[in-house]
Structure formats: structure tokens, C-alpha cells
Amino acid sequence: EHFKEQGSRYELVVVSRFHIAKDLTKTLRELVPSAKFVFDTVDLQFLRAQREAELVDHQDLLDKAEEVKHAELALAESVDATIVVSSIEQQLLQSIAPQLDVHLISLIQEVSNEVAPGVEQRRGAYFVGGFEHPPNVDAVVWFVQEVMPLVRRRVPGFELSIIGSKATPEVQELAAPDVHILGHVQDLDPFLSGCRLSVAPLRFGAGIKGKVLQSLAAGLPCVMTTIAAEGIGLEDEVNALIADEPEAFAEHVVRAYRDPELWSALSEKGRQTLEQ
């Protein structure tokens, strides 16, 4: 009703996220005929779907990912410009659809100037993410089942807090004396200042991961996968610890947890990377 009455006043319409934009764009085009249209991908849904399908090697999921790819590209074709948050995704779109006008506008994360508590005053690790998002479910299940047993052997008393709304049954079943399912929390600051590490063991996904930015901005080292590090300018053993296999991921967790000098270097370099 609003756009029927006021559509002629609009010069620019930005539609965000494919699953929302695909249903709105055609209607808005009719109601706001003179406006420029921009598609803000947030993350490329077809890339996330494709990576999930390849991870589980499921042909039906691969077929579905291909359908999403055609639809998402068609939407990008129908608008005046497209925004992505990651240089990886900009390069991907330009390679498969060079005619698109694709702009890189990354996520913005304020970097804290406060002096964070030192490593000696911290304990445990946390993961944060809403569990309606399948990559987050897969990530914590993989970490607790495949990585935690390796960490437990070398770091007595290591504990993981799992933070995020709408935990699925698979996530709830991970609860143990050293694995705490906390659900939604109002304030993440006590974890950013009280935990020794955050972990981002994402095995599929797209875009840039806010959970990684938030951790690094607070000076809290994050052990992550290649997928989680994508598009941020992070490099293993330089300004982050990045691994994709359980043994290597566990090794990074143990090293960052037990080595104060490494912890301090990662804390400082992570902040510097976000400032740059």
C-alpha cells in the first residue's frame, strides 16, 4: 500500500538477501518504476548451497544449488547493480557473469580501543551463531565430536560455551560437563573479555563471518576454518590460526590456549588487520 501511494518518490531501492529479494523485486519494479535497483547479496546463497552439497557429496543438494545459482544470477541480471561483502565473491561473479555491475562493500566492525584482560585471566572458549542457520549446526557438531576429544587430552579443564538461539536437537545433544549450551545471551561482552579463545569451525558458508570480526575486534584470538576466514585478509600463522582438519584445528586450539606469547601476538595482529 505504501509503495502504491509513494512509489514515484523513490530514487533508489536496495533489496537484501536472495530469499527475500527474489519475491519482492518484481513487485517493487512495478510499484517504483523510476528507481534504480541494487541487490545486496549479504552472502551468495548458491555458493553456500554448493559448498554444503560438496561437503556431504549429495547429488540432490548439488542439483538444488545449481537451481539457486541460476535464480540468483537472474536476479542480479535484473537489477542495476549488485553488492557483495567479500572479494572472493566479487571475483566469482565477475568470472561467471562478467556483464554484471558488482561492487565490493565489506562488513564494518568497530575495533575496541579498550585494553582487554590478559590471557592469564581468561578460561574456556566459545562459539556463537544462531542455529536456524545450517552451517552453524554443522560447525559445532563437528567441533565437539571431532576436535574436542583431541583438545581434552592436552588441555585438562578445557570448556566450550555454545551461544545462540534456537539450538537444534543435534546441538542440544552435545551438552556435557565441559560443553555448555547457553542459548541466546543478551550480552556477549563477558565472553569476549573472559574467554581465552573463540572458535569458528565452519565447513561451508559464504560471505564474511561476523562472529570472526567481532572476536578479532575485541582482541580475542579466533581459531577458524578457511571458510570462516574468507574475505577478511587473514593468513594462517600470520594474523590468525586457520585449519580444516580435526587434528590441525585441535593443534591450533591447544597452541593458542597454552602459549601466552602466541595468544598476545594473535590478539594484536587480529585487531590490526581489522583496522586496516
Side-chain angles (χ1 to χ4, degrees), residues 129-145:
F131 293 106
E132 286 187 314
H133 193 50
N136 288 331
V137 176
D138 176 82
V140 292
V141 170
W142 179 79
F143 182 81
V144 172
Q145 293 182 349

Side-chain angles (χ1 to χ4, degrees), residues 17 43 48 52 55 126-144 160-168 170-172 174 181 199-206 208-212 225 227-228:
R17 297 188 183 274
D43 61 19
R48 171 157 41 92
E52 179 182 12
L55 179 67
Y126 79 84
F127 172 90
V128 62
F131 293 106
E132 286 187 314
H133 193 50
N136 288 331
V137 176
D138 176 82
V140 292
V141 170
W142 179 79
F143 182 81
V144 172
L160 175 71
S161 295
I162 297 176
I163 302 165
S165 62
K166 300 182 180 177
T168 64
E170 309 106 286
V171 175
Q172 295 283 4
L174 299 174
I181 314 294
V199 294
L202 298 161
R203 300 196 298 164
F204 62 96
I208 284 182
K209 313 307 178 294
K211 58 173 65 61
V212 175
T225 56
I227 292 289

Side-chain angles (χ1 to χ4, degrees), residues 248-259:
F249 202 99
E251 176 68 19
H252 278 344
V253 169
V254 171
R255 287 175 57 219
Y257 202 85
R258 295 171 60 178
D259 185 340

